[in-house]
Amino acid sequence: MLGVAFLGCALILPALLTATAQGQLDFGPDDPITEHAQIPLTRDYKLTCETIAVSISPASQVFYPGSPEFKIDISHWANSSTQVSACSVRPGTPEDIGVILRELAFTRTPFAIKGAGHTANPGFSSTPGVHISMSRFKDIIVHPGTVDIGAGLTWTEVYSYLVPRGINVVGGRINGVGVGGFTLGGGYSWKTNQFGLTVDTLTAIELVLPSGSVKVVTEKDEDLWFALKGGLNNYGIVTKFTLKTHKQTDVWGTVLSFAGNQIEPAYTAFADFLSREHDHKGAQLGQISYDNGTVKFAVVLFYDGPQPPCDLYGNLLTLPNTGKSIIEGSFVHFVLSLPPPVRKRAYFDGFPVLHYTVPVMKAIIDGLQSWGDRISKRDTDVLLVVNLDPFEPDILTHGGPSAYPPDRSRVVLPSSLYFGWNDKSLDEYMYKQMRALSASLIEAGIKDGQDLVNAAHYTNYALHGTPLEQMYGGNVERLCDIKRRYDPFRVMDLTGGFKF
């Protein structure tokens, strides 16, 4: 399977589940699903679809190629993440997901789990087999101090429901990001400086285990609770998250844009600003981009209140710039004002940084210019973006042990690299170029004196093929052991993602 890492814990199990009469046993090393698992695989995916269709309740439905529902179900934010499946299924209850998982396990049929489809890793939420769309899990139920959130929602939908009620949660930062994958990967938010990561605000998770049984997981389930907080889709299918809530007022934000000879004074001032402690209601994001041969720099400033203190941002607001937009109003309005970049094909990768110093930011700018000029000879419409994600040094004190981050003794800033292009034939080339640029940016941090050798890469940014140890460090062995206990037949290995 493209991009699945099995490091240090590949477990070869006997074929305890029999393939259907129409299936074909395939133990070949090149099989896209059983490359490492070596488990028999049913090739007649349509038969599996038909069996699921007659087994699920009226709350759920199966759709086939050619229907509008199917097209919606398999679509992704980036076309490069989409595959044509044998069918899509929209389960309406956790129990029906259990029925589906048991059939997939019995036939060893590959499957996908898609929330909002915002992953850029091919095969992570797409499949040639059975595509499970979580679009019917969209309930939001407010309780005193907490809220139940369906795994099929986007964060914009969550904010649109909660903010008019004067409350909010720690969730995604841009429009279109789904609740499920974001939360299971950790979750950095505009509210992280105040409340920690999204996983740090969880109080319960409704999970359909690989066996098909439904379980509400809480901190009493020590190992499984630990694994689900950052361990992605390795332990079953989540249908609902319960998160802590907090009060929400109107917010303030601004986007500052810089170009040409404005860039160096801007990133120098940004680095100086980041070197100081700040009001935890504030958050910021830096963005360096290459587009049409030109590098630009932008800063997004957020304050969790109607107006920031007048001296909070120093001279950042008065620097010469090419554009300055003020965003005032609801939290939803702020998030909707920050659309993600759009190209037909895309990859993300993450690289760790401890401090955004002037030398590090200069290296990023020089790197984007160099790689952009090289790549644009192949695709003139290429877009390269590096997001700088600074957070306060105490953000990891809000939560306890979790799969990610593996080390809470220090904050590793989860910087991201985005490549966007339109020519499908360049996919492999773009992958190699992204790997090379990421490595050069890590090397720039090391040359700056930063200890990045064992610094964790953020799971939700990591490019397919990233070794588990780079994301989970010393937690890999424990996470593998938990996986063996809760998924002994390796059902969740039939779906995409980073696998223990």
Side-chain angles (χ1 to χ4, degrees), residues 374-385:
R374 180 186 312 149
I375 295 171
S376 62
K377 294 176 182 178
R378 299 281 195 100
D379 185 341
T380 57
D381 197 33
V382 69
L383 173 64
L384 311 184
V385 180

Side-chain angles (χ1 to χ4, degrees), residues 73-74 76 85 87-89 112 114 125-127 129-133:
D73 289 347
I74 69 166
H76 285 71
S85 306
C87 66
S88 66
V89 55
K114 180 193 143 190
S125 60
S126 62
T127 180
V130 174
H131 188 105
I132 300 173
S133 167

Side-chain angles (χ1 to χ4, degrees), residues 57-388:
S57 76
S60 306
Q61 285 180 279
V62 173
F63 300 98
Y64 295 94
S67 70
E69 294 88 352
F70 175 85
K71 183 177 180 180
I72 292 170
D73 289 347
I74 69 166
S75 66
H76 285 71
W77 167 70
N79 289 353
S80 49
S81 301
T82 300
Q83 294 184 75
V84 178
S85 306
C87 66
S88 66
V89 55
R90 296 181 181 179
T93 68
E95 291 73 22
D96 276 351
I97 290 182
V99 171
I100 295 164
L101 279 177
R102 283 189 284 269
E103 179 62 23
L104 295 170
F106 180 75
T107 59
R108 307 311 295 177
T109 301
F111 66 99
I113 312 159
K114 180 193 143 190
H118 204 265
T119 181
N121 281 328
F124 273 41
S125 60
S126 62
T127 180
V130 174
H131 188 105
I132 300 173
S133 167
M134 299 299 291
S135 58
R136 294 190 176 181
F137 289 89
K138 290 200 171 189
D139 287 345
I140 301 176
I141 302 174
V142 177
H143 308 284
T146 64
V147 60
D148 297 337
I149 298 174
L153 289 156
T154 66
W155 287 109
T156 306
E157 290 173 321
V158 173
Y159 301 147
S160 296
Y161 184 87
L162 295 180
V163 171
R165 290 164 172 78
I167 57 175
N168 207 350
V169 290
V170 177
R173 286 181 286 182
I174 60 174
N175 186 30
V177 174
V179 167
F182 176 91
T183 303
L184 290 173
Y188 288 91
S189 170
W190 294 113
K191 303 299 191 81
T192 288
N193 284 339
Q194 298 179 75
F195 305 107
L197 278 66
T198 299
V199 293
D200 297 332
T201 68
L202 284 165
T203 63
I205 299 172
E206 184 177 76
L207 176 72
V208 183
L209 291 163
S211 65
S213 62
V214 182
K215 179 179 179 60
V216 176
V217 183
T218 67
E219 62 183 355
K220 295 179 181 179
D221 306 285
E222 184 177 351
D223 279 346
L224 194 53
W225 183 246
F226 168 85
L228 288 171
K229 294 189 297 180
L232 305 173
N233 64 354
N234 280 279
Y235 304 95
I237 298 179
V238 173
T239 56
K240 180 173 63 179
F241 300 93
T242 303
L243 297 172
K244 296 175 184 177
T245 58
H246 55 265
K247 292 182 179 180
Q248 183 63 64
T249 64
D250 281 351
V251 303
W252 176 94
T254 186
V255 180
L256 305 170
S257 302
F258 307 93
N261 58 13
Q262 300 170 345
I263 293 178
E264 185 174 355
Y267 73 70
T268 301
F270 191 53
D272 177 67
F273 169 73
L274 296 178
S275 67
R276 296 176 270 115
E277 290 196 17
H278 314 100
D279 185 334
H280 280 44
K281 286 188 174 183
Q284 41 279 327
L285 176 73
Q287 187 175 91
I288 303 169
S289 62
Y290 175 96
D291 191 10
N292 291 320
T294 303
V295 171
K296 297 180 180 179
F297 179 60
V299 174
V300 181
L301 302 175
F302 166 82
Y303 190 77
D304 195 13
Q307 288 290 329
C310 60
D311 59 346
L312 180 60
Y313 297 112
N315 68 336
L316 277 175
L317 298 179
T318 59
L319 288 171
N321 57 72
T322 59
K324 178 179 179 181
S325 59
I326 301 295
I327 307 165
E328 297 176 316
S330 72
F331 186 83
V332 183
H333 173 61
F334 176 79
V335 171
L336 288 173
S337 301
L338 306 171
V342 176
R343 290 293 190 275
K344 290 181 180 180
R345 312 192 71 76
Y347 287 150
F348 281 103
D349 195 15
F351 62 96
V353 174
L354 299 184
H355 307 286
Y356 293 117
T357 64
V358 169
V360 165
M361 286 194 273
K362 185 179 187 304
I364 293 172
I365 290 171
D366 291 345
L368 281 190
Q369 186 73 63
S370 175
W371 260 264
D373 288 346
R374 180 186 312 149
I375 295 171
S376 62
K377 294 176 182 178
R378 299 281 195 100
D379 185 341
T380 57
D381 197 33
V382 69
L383 173 64
L384 311 184
V385 180
V386 170
N387 282 323
L388 316 175

Side-chain angles (χ1 to χ4, degrees), residues 1 33 41 104-105 108-111 490-496:
M1 181 179 297
I33 299 301
L41 178 69
L104 295 170
R108 307 311 295 177
T109 301
F111 66 99
R490 301 182 65 186
V491 177
M492 298 309 295
D493 287 3
L494 296 168
T495 191

